[in-house]
Amino acid sequence: MTLTAAPPRTTPTSAPRPPRRRLRYAGTVAVFLLPSLIPLVLFTLVPMAGSLWVSLHEWNLIEPMRWVGLDNYGEVLADPKTRAAFLHTLTFIAGYLPLVYAGGLGLAMLLNRAMGGRNIFRAIYFLPVITSWVVVALMWKWLLNPASGIVNWALGLLGVEGPGWWTDPTWAMPSIILASAWKDLGFVMIILLAGLQAIPNEYHEAARVDGASAWQRFRRITLPLLSPSTFFVVVISLINGFQVFDQVHVMTGGGPGGATEVVVEQVYRLTFQYGRAGAASALSWLLFAVVLLVTLIQVRVQRRWVNYG
C-alpha cells in the first residue's frame, strides 16, 4: 500500500466580474457621481479649458479673438507689474499665515478646556468665517479709518498716534493681513480644535506624572500629534493666500500707489480695465502653476514632519 500526498489546498478566489456586470457597476457608480460630477465639469473643468484657450489669444471681450500663441505668457512674465504682484502676494502670505495659525491655535487650546459657555464662544469665533468678505472688508475699512476709525481712536486714548492704515503704502498690506486673519481665525480654530480633541489625554497624564512642564507637553506631545491638522491648515491657507482678492479690492483697490496690488487684482485689472483677457488668462495659469508647485512641494515635504501615528 503506497501513500500519496494530498493535493495542496487552494483558497477560493472570487471569479472575475463578467463584462456586463462590470458595465452595470460602472453605470451605478456614475449615477451616484453625477450630482457632483456635472457641476464640477460645467463650472470648473470647462471654464479652466476655456481660460487656457483664451490665454493663447488676444481678446478684448468685444472683438473676435486673435491667435497669438504663447506671446501672452512671455509678455506677462516680462512685465515688472507681474513680479511686483507676486511679491505683494508673498508678502501677504508671510504675514497672514503665521498670524492666522498662531491665533487659531491659541483659540483652539483655550476652547478645548472645560469652561462655561464654551460652545457659545466657539460659535461666536466661527461667525466671521461665514460672513461675506465684502461685509468684513467694509467693516475693517471703517475700523481702520485714519481719521474716524475706532482703532486709531483707541490708540489715541493710550497716547499713541495711529498710522494711516489702508491709506498709507507702508501700512496698507498690514491692514489687509489683519482683516484677513481675523476673518479666518474661526476656520483654523475649528480644524485645530478637532485635532486637539483627537489626542488621547493619557499621553498628557503620563507626561505630567513624569514631571514634564506645560511647555514640554505642548512641544513634545501636542504639536507633533497636531501635525496632520497643521498640515491641512497650512495647505488650505497657502492656497487661499495666493488667491487673495476680495479684501484687497474692497479695502484698497490695489493701492495706494500699487502697494497692495496682488496677482488676482492684476488679473481683474487686465480683464475689465484694460480689455486684455488673453494676458489675464495667461497670468491666471501662471498663478495656477505656482500654487500647484507649492502644494506638491508641501505634500512631498510633509512626510518628514507630519506624524500620523
Side-chain angles (χ1 to χ4, degrees):
M1 178 176 170
T2 59
L3 298 177
T4 58
R9 292 185 177 182
T10 58
T11 57
T13 57
S14 58
R17 188 178 283 133
R20 183 176 299 177
R21 290 188 60 188
R22 288 202 302 267
L23 187 61
R24 186 184 305 170
Y25 177 78
T28 304
V29 172
V31 168
F32 281 100
L33 289 179
L34 279 180
S36 58
L37 188 61
I38 292 177
L40 175 66
V41 172
L42 291 181
F43 300 111
T44 301
L45 299 182
V46 171
M48 287 181 65
S51 173
L52 182 61
W53 178 251
V54 171
S55 70
L56 303 175
H57 295 77
E58 184 178 328
W59 187 36
N60 61 1
L61 302 179
I62 300 176
E63 300 175 355
M65 293 188 292
R66 183 173 65 88
W67 175 269
V68 294
L70 298 177
D71 290 353
N72 284 326
Y73 290 90
E75 185 178 349
V76 167
L77 287 172
D79 190 353
K81 290 185 178 180
T82 301
R83 293 191 291 271
F86 272 101
L87 179 61
H88 295 155
T89 304
L90 292 176
T91 301
F92 170 82
I93 293 174
Y96 163 79
L97 187 57
L99 185 60
V100 75
Y101 179 78
L105 178 59
L107 288 176
M109 295 190 66
L110 179 64
L111 296 179
N112 193 40
R113 299 180 178 181
M115 55 182 293
R118 181 172 59 179
N119 292 333
I120 297 177
F121 283 111
R122 291 176 180 175
I124 291 174
Y125 286 123
F126 190 77
L127 188 60
V129 179
I130 60 176
T131 305
S132 167
W133 245 125
V134 175
V135 174
V136 172
L138 288 174
M139 182 192 72
W140 274 97
K141 188 174 182 178
W142 172 68
L143 290 173
L144 299 177
N145 189 297
S148 58
I150 293 179
V151 174
N152 277 6
W153 173 79
L155 292 176
L157 295 179
L158 300 175
V160 179
E161 183 179 356
W165 296 111
W166 48 267
T167 64
D168 186 342
T170 304
W171 285 92
M173 186 59 76
S175 303
I176 296 172
I177 292 172
L178 184 61
S180 303
W182 179 83
K183 186 181 189 302
D184 295 337
L185 275 179
F187 172 77
V188 176
M189 175 199 71
I190 289 295
I191 300 299
L192 296 182
L193 182 60
L196 287 173
Q197 293 180 345
I199 299 176
N201 194 43
E202 290 80 4
Y203 295 163
H204 291 280
E205 294 294 337
R208 189 180 292 109
V209 170
D210 290 340
S213 64
W215 168 249
Q216 289 174 328
R217 295 196 302 272
F218 173 76
R219 183 183 175 188
R220 301 294 184 181
I221 298 176
T222 303
L223 281 183
L225 295 181
L226 199 61
S227 56
S229 300
T230 298
F231 172 67
F232 176 79
V233 165
V234 169
V235 170
I236 296 299
S237 299
L238 274 174
I239 293 175
N240 291 335
F242 275 108
Q243 300 179 87
V244 58
F245 170 70
D246 296 358
Q247 55 270 51
V248 174
H249 189 66
V250 174
M251 292 181 67
T252 65
T260 59
E261 187 169 355
V262 292
V263 177
V264 182
E265 178 72 22
Q266 188 177 2
V267 171
Y268 170 83
R269 289 182 182 275
L270 286 172
T271 305
F272 298 106
Q273 290 189 7
Y274 305 125
R276 302 181 58 202
S281 297
L283 181 57
S284 300
W285 275 94
L286 290 176
L287 177 61
F288 171 77
V290 171
V291 173
L292 179 61
L293 177 62
V294 171
T295 304
L296 291 177
I297 292 175
Q298 292 179 86
V299 172
R300 184 77 175 181
V301 174
Q302 60 95 17
R303 302 172 185 174
R304 303 179 181 178
W305 64 276
V306 177
N307 180 16
Y308 291 101

